[in-house]
């Protein structure tokens, strides 16, 4: 039985038989090797935004090509469905993504691409392939993972590579959520970094696009192509759908639509609109995120993964006002962070959801105080303003949302996030809060995947958070620790198909379980 044919359940059975699992067994030649006369797939394959009957698939070639796509419910591609060929060219940087529709639910789907050179149509590539499993329509066990923060602070592909991705792959999740900071477009990458103990971190791979901040569309595309040079990343993508959202470093640190770049020499002559627009285009070209017809380029969306789970992805970047003091007494467009349209969508979709569990995937934590200017401790970069009192500024928007959830009787919501480069479990309770009009809930934080690790952030008590677990860098001079320090984190969520119990585990890249909790649903179906 080859690695690609393993479903998670078959994988677990086989693992118990052999007593373990070597991550290396996932390695397969997903990056096709060709000659100069044949197209080459440069970046493996990806799938994403998978539901019960459809899923997005993606790949990239090295030249203008005509790409043939086949998919099947068997690894041998018996009775395969072939789509009409699609031509790709430089206008999308030779990327292709398309929706596979009308799929059977709860079924392994195997897909493959073959490329023919548009200038020499008989020059045909080797096939590149991947797989995913569609969501169920009946109750079964579901497992997914989440984390964020890839290739930040100059920590790139060293001799070990981005190994957290392989640790995740060994758990055979149904899908992975990448919670933002998927690239670090504003973090130039050096060839090496001298560590505090005198040793040297060496980036085995550094591309031209990674040596400078991204400004042009091609430079933003290059940020994505860099991550896909890592074998651990490619192998995970070939076996596991990834659902993407963004945060700030896809564009630049702490950006908002009102950011002023006139005093930043790195972006001379550019506006934030131009930079964010190029970033957004690259984001949608280089990931298998779905297109939203009514708002092209939109990131907030819902993915339904069977009767036990709906995932709601929110976007705290595109619709926010300026990163000011966060103390506005009245909610306005300038004090919002979600934006009126997105809040209305989220309320509507949460109320409509009949899934047992509703997961809100948020690109920033709700109550950690993140300063826009850390040196001066000024400006509210996230939701919390640090005053521990009644909701003000962006907190007003979340107070309204939490009140709506309570009044609508929407149960079984958890929040997942990354952003702060450590892992933690936060429990929110109105009994501890300055604002009391909400139901208790959990927020789980995990990351980075492959970036620097930082110390714990200050909590704001407006919504009554309590830290139930945390693992972070020590702080002080022990900040921005490299991936080799071991403080790279991800979370696993398991939902039991029979009991509907949800279990969250916080993990490190060595696959050590740091903390877990079992949550019973308040309402069972």
């Amino acid at each position: 039985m080859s690695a690609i044919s393993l479903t998670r359940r078959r994988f677990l059975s086989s693992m118990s038989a052999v007593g373990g699992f070597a991550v290396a067994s996932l390695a397969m030649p997903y990056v096709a090797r060709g000659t100069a006369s044949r197209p080459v797939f440069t970046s493996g394959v990806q799938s994403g935004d998978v539901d019960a009957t459809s899923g997005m698939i993606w790949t990239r070639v090295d030249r203008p090509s005509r790409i043939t796509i086949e998919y099947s419910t068997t690894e041998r591609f018996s009775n395969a469905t072939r789509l009409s060929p699609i031509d790709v060219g430089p206008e999308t940087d030779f990327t292709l993504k398309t929706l596979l529709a009308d799929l059977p639910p709860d079924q392994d789907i195997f897909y493959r691409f073959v490329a023919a050179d548009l200038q020499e149509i008989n020059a045909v590539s080797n096939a590149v392939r991947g797989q995913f499993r569609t969501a169920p329509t009946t109750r079964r066990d579901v497992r997914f993972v989440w984390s964020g923060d890839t290739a930040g602070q100059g920590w790139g592909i060293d001799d070990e590579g981005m190994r957290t991705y392989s640790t995740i792959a060994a758990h055979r999740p149904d899908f992975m959520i990448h919670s933002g900071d998927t690239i670090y477009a504003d973090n130039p990458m050096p060839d090496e970094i001298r560590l505090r103990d005198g040793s040297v971190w060496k980036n085995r791979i550094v591309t031209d696009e990674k040596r400078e901040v991204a400004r042009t569309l091609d430079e933003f595309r290059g940020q994505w192509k860099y991550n896909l040079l890592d074998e651990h990343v490619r192998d995970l993508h070939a076996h596991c759908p990834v659902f993407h959202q963004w945060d700030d470093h896809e564009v630049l640190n702490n950006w908002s639509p009102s950011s002023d770049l006139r005093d930043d020499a790195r972006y001379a002559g550019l506006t934030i609109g131009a930079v964010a627009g190029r970033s957004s285009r690259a984001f949608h070209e280089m990931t298998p995120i779905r297109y939203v017809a009514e708002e092209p380029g939109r990131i907030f969306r819902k993915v339904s993964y069977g009767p036990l789970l709906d995932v709601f992805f929110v976007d705290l970047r595109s619709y926010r006002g300026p990163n000011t003091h966060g103390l506005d007494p009245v909610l306005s467009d300038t004090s919002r962070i979600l934006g009126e349209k997105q809040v209305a969508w989220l309320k509507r979709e949460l109320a409509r959801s009949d899934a047992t569990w509703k997961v809100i995937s948020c690109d920033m934590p709700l109550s950690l105080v993140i300063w826009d200017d850390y040196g001066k401790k000024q400006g509210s970069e996230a939701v919390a303003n640090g005053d521990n009192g009644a909701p003000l500024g962006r907190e007003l928007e979340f107070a309204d949302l939490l009140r709506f959830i309570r009044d609508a009787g929407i149960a079984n919501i958890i929040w997942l996030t990354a952003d702060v480069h450590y892992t933690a479990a936060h429990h929110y309770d109105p009994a501890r809060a300055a604002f009391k009009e909400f139901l208790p809930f959990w927020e789980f934080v995990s990351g980075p995947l492959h970036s620097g690790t930082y110390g714990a952030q200050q909590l704001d008590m407006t919504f009554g958070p309590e830290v139930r677990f945390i693992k972070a860098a020590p702080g002080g001079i022990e900040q921005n620790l490299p991936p080799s320090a071991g403080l790279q984190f991800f979370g696993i969520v398991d939902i039991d198909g029979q009991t509907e119990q949800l279990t969250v585990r916080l993990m490190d890249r060595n696959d050590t379980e740091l903390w877990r909790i079992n949550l019973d649903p308040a309402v069972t179906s």
Side-chain angles (χ1 to χ4, degrees), residues 255-297:
W255 80 277
S256 74
S258 60
S259 295
D260 189 342
L261 302 183
R262 286 176 294 183
D263 294 330
D264 192 333
R266 301 174 303 168
Y267 300 96
L270 293 174
T271 65
I272 190 61
V275 177
R278 293 164 187 172
S279 169
S280 177
R281 178 171 170 178
F283 182 93
H284 284 269
E285 287 178 345
M286 299 298 295
T287 69
I289 186 174
R290 292 197 187 215
Y291 291 110
V292 179
E294 59 267 31
E295 187 182 347

Short mmCIF file of all heavy atoms in Angstrom, two decimals, residues 255-297:
data_model
loop_
_atom_site.label_atom_id
_atom_site.label_comp_id
_atom_site.label_asym_id
_atom_site.label_seq_id
_atom_site.Cartn_x
_atom_site.Cartn_y
_atom_site.Cartn_z
N TRP A 255 -0.35 46.42 8.80
CA TRP A 255 -1.00 47.25 7.79
C TRP A 255 -2.51 47.34 8.00
O TRP A 255 -3.14 46.44 8.54
CB TRP A 255 -0.69 46.74 6.38
CG TRP A 255 -1.53 45.56 5.93
CD1 TRP A 255 -1.32 44.25 6.21
CD2 TRP A 255 -2.70 45.61 5.11
NE1 TRP A 255 -2.28 43.47 5.61
CE2 TRP A 255 -3.15 44.29 4.93
CE3 TRP A 255 -3.42 46.65 4.50
CZ2 TRP A 255 -4.27 43.95 4.17
CZ3 TRP A 255 -4.55 46.32 3.74
CH2 TRP A 255 -4.96 44.99 3.58
N SER A 256 -3.05 48.45 7.57
CA SER A 256 -4.49 48.65 7.44
C SER A 256 -4.70 49.42 6.14
O SER A 256 -3.74 49.98 5.58
CB SER A 256 -5.04 49.45 8.62
OG SER A 256 -4.67 50.82 8.52
N PRO A 257 -5.92 49.47 5.61
CA PRO A 257 -6.14 50.22 4.37
C PRO A 257 -5.79 51.70 4.47
O PRO A 257 -5.65 52.37 3.45
CB PRO A 257 -7.65 50.03 4.11
CG PRO A 257 -7.97 48.72 4.76
CD PRO A 257 -7.12 48.70 6.00
N SER A 258 -5.63 52.21 5.70
CA SER A 258 -5.28 53.62 5.87
C SER A 258 -3.78 53.83 6.13
O SER A 258 -3.36 54.97 6.39
CB SER A 258 -6.08 54.22 7.03
OG SER A 258 -5.80 53.53 8.23
N SER A 259 -2.99 52.78 6.07
CA SER A 259 -1.54 52.92 6.32
C SER A 259 -0.93 53.92 5.34
O SER A 259 -1.26 53.93 4.14
CB SER A 259 -0.84 51.58 6.19
OG SER A 259 -1.26 50.68 7.19
N ASP A 260 -0.02 54.73 5.84
CA ASP A 260 0.65 55.76 5.04
C ASP A 260 2.10 55.34 4.85
O ASP A 260 2.86 55.23 5.82
CB ASP A 260 0.57 57.11 5.76
CG ASP A 260 1.05 58.26 4.90
OD1 ASP A 260 1.76 58.02 3.89
OD2 ASP A 260 0.75 59.42 5.25
N LEU A 261 2.50 55.11 3.60
CA LEU A 261 3.86 54.62 3.30
C LEU A 261 4.82 55.72 2.89
O LEU A 261 5.96 55.44 2.53
CB LEU A 261 3.79 53.57 2.18
CG LEU A 261 2.89 52.36 2.45
CD1 LEU A 261 3.00 51.37 1.28
CD2 LEU A 261 3.27 51.67 3.75
N ARG A 262 4.40 56.98 2.97
CA ARG A 262 5.24 58.05 2.43
C ARG A 262 6.56 58.19 3.16
O ARG A 262 7.55 58.66 2.56
CB ARG A 262 4.46 59.38 2.47
CG ARG A 262 3.38 59.48 1.41
CD ARG A 262 2.58 60.75 1.53
NE ARG A 262 1.80 60.79 2.76
CZ ARG A 262 0.97 61.77 3.09
NH1 ARG A 262 0.85 62.82 2.28
NH2 ARG A 262 0.28 61.72 4.22
N ASP A 263 6.62 57.80 4.42
CA ASP A 263 7.87 57.93 5.17
C ASP A 263 8.66 56.62 5.22
O ASP A 263 9.65 56.52 5.95
CB ASP A 263 7.58 58.40 6.59
CG ASP A 263 7.03 59.82 6.63
OD1 ASP A 263 7.38 60.61 5.72
OD2 ASP A 263 6.23 60.13 7.54
N ASP A 264 8.23 55.63 4.47
CA ASP A 264 8.93 54.34 4.44
C ASP A 264 9.67 54.22 3.13
O ASP A 264 9.07 53.97 2.07
CB ASP A 264 7.92 53.20 4.60
CG ASP A 264 8.60 51.86 4.87
OD1 ASP A 264 9.76 51.69 4.46
OD2 ASP A 264 7.96 50.99 5.50
N ALA A 265 10.99 54.41 3.18
CA ALA A 265 11.80 54.42 1.96
C ALA A 265 11.73 53.09 1.20
O ALA A 265 11.98 53.06 -0.02
CB ALA A 265 13.25 54.75 2.31
N ARG A 266 11.41 52.01 1.89
CA ARG A 266 11.34 50.71 1.21
C ARG A 266 10.23 50.67 0.17
O ARG A 266 10.31 49.89 -0.79
CB ARG A 266 11.12 49.59 2.23
CG ARG A 266 12.19 49.47 3.31
CD ARG A 266 11.79 48.44 4.34
NE ARG A 266 10.50 48.76 4.96
CZ ARG A 266 9.80 47.93 5.73
NH1 ARG A 266 10.26 46.71 5.96
NH2 ARG A 266 8.64 48.31 6.25
N TYR A 267 9.19 51.50 0.36
CA TYR A 267 8.04 51.48 -0.52
C TYR A 267 7.88 52.82 -1.24
O TYR A 267 6.76 53.28 -1.48
CB TYR A 267 6.78 51.16 0.28
CG TYR A 267 6.85 49.82 0.98
CD1 TYR A 267 7.25 49.73 2.32
CD2 TYR A 267 6.56 48.64 0.31
CE1 TYR A 267 7.33 48.50 2.96
CE2 TYR A 267 6.65 47.41 0.93
CZ TYR A 267 7.04 47.34 2.26
OH TYR A 267 7.12 46.13 2.90
N ALA A 268 9.00 53.42 -1.59
CA ALA A 268 9.00 54.75 -2.21
C ALA A 268 8.10 54.77 -3.45
O ALA A 268 8.20 53.92 -4.33
CB ALA A 268 10.42 55.15 -2.59
N GLY A 269 7.21 55.77 -3.47
CA GLY A 269 6.32 55.95 -4.62
C GLY A 269 5.11 55.04 -4.63
O GLY A 269 4.31 55.12 -5.57
N LEU A 270 4.93 54.21 -3.60
CA LEU A 270 3.81 53.27 -3.58
C LEU A 270 2.81 53.66 -2.50
O LEU A 270 3.16 54.19 -1.46
CB LEU A 270 4.31 51.84 -3.30
CG LEU A 270 5.17 51.21 -4.39
CD1 LEU A 270 5.71 49.86 -3.92
CD2 LEU A 270 4.36 51.03 -5.68
N THR A 271 1.55 53.36 -2.76
CA THR A 271 0.50 53.52 -1.76
C THR A 271 0.18 52.15 -1.16
O THR A 271 0.48 51.11 -1.74
CB THR A 271 -0.77 54.09 -2.40
OG1 THR A 271 -1.29 53.14 -3.34
CG2 THR A 271 -0.48 55.42 -3.10
N ILE A 272 -0.47 52.17 0.01
CA ILE A 272 -0.85 50.90 0.62
C ILE A 272 -1.85 50.16 -0.26
O ILE A 272 -1.85 48.92 -0.31
CB ILE A 272 -1.40 51.12 2.04
CG1 ILE A 272 -1.56 49.78 2.77
CG2 ILE A 272 -2.71 51.89 2.00
CD1 ILE A 272 -0.30 49.00 2.98
N GLY A 273 -2.69 50.89 -0.98
CA GLY A 273 -3.64 50.24 -1.87
C GLY A 273 -2.95 49.44 -2.96
O GLY A 273 -3.36 48.32 -3.28
N ALA A 274 -1.88 50.02 -3.53
CA ALA A 274 -1.14 49.31 -4.58
C ALA A 274 -0.44 48.08 -4.03
O ALA A 274 -0.49 47.00 -4.62
CB ALA A 274 -0.13 50.25 -5.23
N VAL A 275 0.20 48.23 -2.86
CA VAL A 275 0.93 47.10 -2.27
C VAL A 275 -0.04 45.99 -1.86
O VAL A 275 0.18 44.80 -2.16
CB VAL A 275 1.77 47.57 -1.07
CG1 VAL A 275 2.48 46.41 -0.42
CG2 VAL A 275 2.79 48.62 -1.53
N ALA A 276 -1.13 46.37 -1.18
CA ALA A 276 -2.10 45.36 -0.75
C ALA A 276 -2.78 44.69 -1.93
O ALA A 276 -3.08 43.49 -1.89
CB ALA A 276 -3.14 46.00 0.17
N GLY A 277 -3.03 45.44 -2.99
CA GLY A 277 -3.65 44.86 -4.18
C GLY A 277 -2.77 43.82 -4.82
O GLY A 277 -3.25 42.75 -5.24
N ARG A 278 -1.47 44.09 -4.92
CA ARG A 278 -0.55 43.10 -5.48
C ARG A 278 -0.45 41.87 -4.59
O ARG A 278 -0.40 40.73 -5.06
CB ARG A 278 0.82 43.73 -5.70
CG ARG A 278 0.81 44.81 -6.77
CD ARG A 278 2.04 45.70 -6.75
NE ARG A 278 1.89 46.80 -7.69
CZ ARG A 278 2.73 47.82 -7.78
NH1 ARG A 278 3.78 47.89 -6.98
NH2 ARG A 278 2.51 48.78 -8.67
N SER A 279 -0.41 42.12 -3.28
CA SER A 279 -0.37 41.01 -2.34
C SER A 279 -1.61 40.13 -2.47
O SER A 279 -1.52 38.90 -2.49
CB SER A 279 -0.25 41.52 -0.91
OG SER A 279 -0.46 40.49 0.02
N SER A 280 -2.78 40.77 -2.54
CA SER A 280 -4.03 40.02 -2.64
C SER A 280 -4.07 39.19 -3.90
O SER A 280 -4.49 38.01 -3.89
CB SER A 280 -5.22 40.98 -2.60
OG SER A 280 -6.43 40.29 -2.77
N ARG A 281 -3.62 39.75 -5.00
CA ARG A 281 -3.62 38.99 -6.26
C ARG A 281 -2.71 37.77 -6.13
O ARG A 281 -3.09 36.65 -6.52
CB ARG A 281 -3.18 39.87 -7.42
CG ARG A 281 -3.11 39.11 -8.73
CD ARG A 281 -2.89 40.00 -9.92
NE ARG A 281 -2.59 39.21 -11.10
CZ ARG A 281 -2.40 39.71 -12.32
NH1 ARG A 281 -2.50 41.03 -12.49
NH2 ARG A 281 -2.13 38.93 -13.34
N ALA A 282 -1.51 37.96 -5.58
CA ALA A 282 -0.60 36.83 -5.41
C ALA A 282 -1.19 35.79 -4.46
O ALA A 282 -1.07 34.58 -4.69
CB ALA A 282 0.75 37.32 -4.89
N PHE A 283 -1.83 36.25 -3.38
CA PHE A 283 -2.45 35.33 -2.42
C PHE A 283 -3.46 34.43 -3.12
O PHE A 283 -3.48 33.21 -2.91
CB PHE A 283 -3.13 36.16 -1.33
CG PHE A 283 -3.79 35.35 -0.24
CD1 PHE A 283 -3.10 35.03 0.92
CD2 PHE A 283 -5.10 34.93 -0.36
CE1 PHE A 283 -3.71 34.29 1.94
CE2 PHE A 283 -5.72 34.20 0.65
CZ PHE A 283 -5.02 33.87 1.80
N HIS A 284 -4.29 35.01 -3.97
CA HIS A 284 -5.32 34.22 -4.63
C HIS A 284 -4.76 33.38 -5.78
O HIS A 284 -5.32 32.32 -6.10
CB HIS A 284 -6.45 35.12 -5.11
CG HIS A 284 -7.34 35.57 -3.99
ND1 HIS A 284 -8.46 34.88 -3.60
CD2 HIS A 284 -7.25 36.62 -3.14
CE1 HIS A 284 -9.04 35.48 -2.58
NE2 HIS A 284 -8.32 36.54 -2.27
N GLU A 285 -3.70 33.83 -6.41
CA GLU A 285 -3.06 33.02 -7.44
C GLU A 285 -2.32 31.82 -6.87
O GLU A 285 -2.30 30.74 -7.48
CB GLU A 285 -2.06 33.86 -8.24
CG GLU A 285 -2.66 34.85 -9.19
CD GLU A 285 -1.59 35.67 -9.90
OE1 GLU A 285 -0.42 35.66 -9.46
OE2 GLU A 285 -1.93 36.32 -10.90
N MET A 286 -1.74 31.97 -5.70
CA MET A 286 -0.79 30.98 -5.19
C MET A 286 -1.38 30.05 -4.14
O MET A 286 -0.68 29.19 -3.61
CB MET A 286 0.44 31.69 -4.61
CG MET A 286 1.21 32.52 -5.62
SD MET A 286 1.89 31.57 -7.00
CE MET A 286 3.09 30.53 -6.15
N THR A 287 -2.66 30.19 -3.80
CA THR A 287 -3.31 29.31 -2.83
C THR A 287 -4.59 28.74 -3.43
O THR A 287 -5.18 29.35 -4.33
CB THR A 287 -3.66 30.03 -1.52
OG1 THR A 287 -4.71 30.98 -1.77
CG2 THR A 287 -2.45 30.73 -0.93
N PRO A 288 -5.07 27.62 -2.91
CA PRO A 288 -6.32 27.03 -3.42
C PRO A 288 -7.56 27.58 -2.72
O PRO A 288 -8.53 26.85 -2.48
CB PRO A 288 -6.12 25.54 -3.15
CG PRO A 288 -5.29 25.50 -1.91
CD PRO A 288 -4.36 26.69 -2.01
N ILE A 289 -7.55 28.85 -2.37
CA ILE A 289 -8.73 29.48 -1.78
C ILE A 289 -9.79 29.64 -2.87
O ILE A 289 -9.48 29.85 -4.04
CB ILE A 289 -8.37 30.85 -1.16
CG1 ILE A 289 -9.56 31.45 -0.41
CG2 ILE A 289 -7.83 31.82 -2.20
CD1 ILE A 289 -9.22 32.74 0.34
N ARG A 290 -11.06 29.52 -2.49
CA ARG A 290 -12.13 29.66 -3.46
C ARG A 290 -12.33 31.12 -3.86
O ARG A 290 -12.09 32.03 -3.08
CB ARG A 290 -13.45 29.13 -2.90
CG ARG A 290 -13.47 27.64 -2.70
CD ARG A 290 -14.88 27.12 -2.55
NE ARG A 290 -14.87 25.72 -2.19
CZ ARG A 290 -15.77 24.84 -2.60
NH1 ARG A 290 -16.77 25.24 -3.38
NH2 ARG A 290 -15.70 23.58 -2.23
N TYR A 291 -12.81 31.31 -5.08
CA TYR A 291 -13.25 32.63 -5.51
C TYR A 291 -14.67 32.87 -4.99
O TYR A 291 -15.50 31.97 -5.00
CB TYR A 291 -13.25 32.74 -7.03
CG TYR A 291 -11.87 32.74 -7.65
CD1 TYR A 291 -11.42 31.65 -8.40
CD2 TYR A 291 -11.02 33.82 -7.49
CE1 TYR A 291 -10.16 31.65 -8.97
CE2 TYR A 291 -9.75 33.83 -8.05
CZ TYR A 291 -9.32 32.74 -8.80
OH TYR A 291 -8.07 32.74 -9.35
N VAL A 292 -14.94 34.08 -4.55
CA VAL A 292 -16.28 34.48 -4.15
C VAL A 292 -16.81 35.42 -5.22
O VAL A 292 -16.32 36.54 -5.39
CB VAL A 292 -16.26 35.18 -2.77
CG1 VAL A 292 -17.67 35.61 -2.37
CG2 VAL A 292 -15.67 34.24 -1.71
N ALA A 293 -17.80 34.95 -5.99
CA ALA A 293 -18.23 35.67 -7.17
C ALA A 293 -18.72 37.08 -6.85
O ALA A 293 -18.46 38.03 -7.60
CB ALA A 293 -19.33 34.88 -7.88
N GLU A 294 -19.42 37.23 -5.71
CA GLU A 294 -19.99 38.55 -5.40
C GLU A 294 -18.94 39.54 -4.91
O GLU A 294 -19.20 40.74 -4.86
CB GLU A 294 -21.11 38.42 -4.36
CG GLU A 294 -20.70 37.81 -3.04
CD GLU A 294 -20.92 36.30 -2.98
OE1 GLU A 294 -20.81 35.65 -4.04
OE2 GLU A 294 -21.20 35.78 -1.88
N GLU A 295 -17.75 39.08 -4.54
CA GLU A 295 -16.69 39.98 -4.11
C GLU A 295 -15.33 39.34 -4.41
O GLU A 295 -14.71 38.73 -3.54
CB GLU A 295 -16.79 40.29 -2.61
CG GLU A 295 -15.81 41.36 -2.16
CD GLU A 295 -15.89 41.65 -0.67
OE1 GLU A 295 -16.85 41.21 0.00
OE2 GLU A 295 -14.98 42.32 -0.16
N PRO A 296 -14.86 39.42 -5.65
CA PRO A 296 -13.57 38.82 -5.99
C PRO A 296 -12.46 39.31 -5.07
O PRO A 296 -12.38 40.50 -4.75
CB PRO A 296 -13.35 39.29 -7.43
CG PRO A 296 -14.72 39.54 -7.97
CD PRO A 296 -15.51 40.06 -6.80
N GLY A 297 -11.64 38.39 -4.61
CA GLY A 297 -10.57 38.74 -3.69
C GLY A 297 -10.94 38.62 -2.23
O GLY A 297 -10.11 38.84 -1.36
#
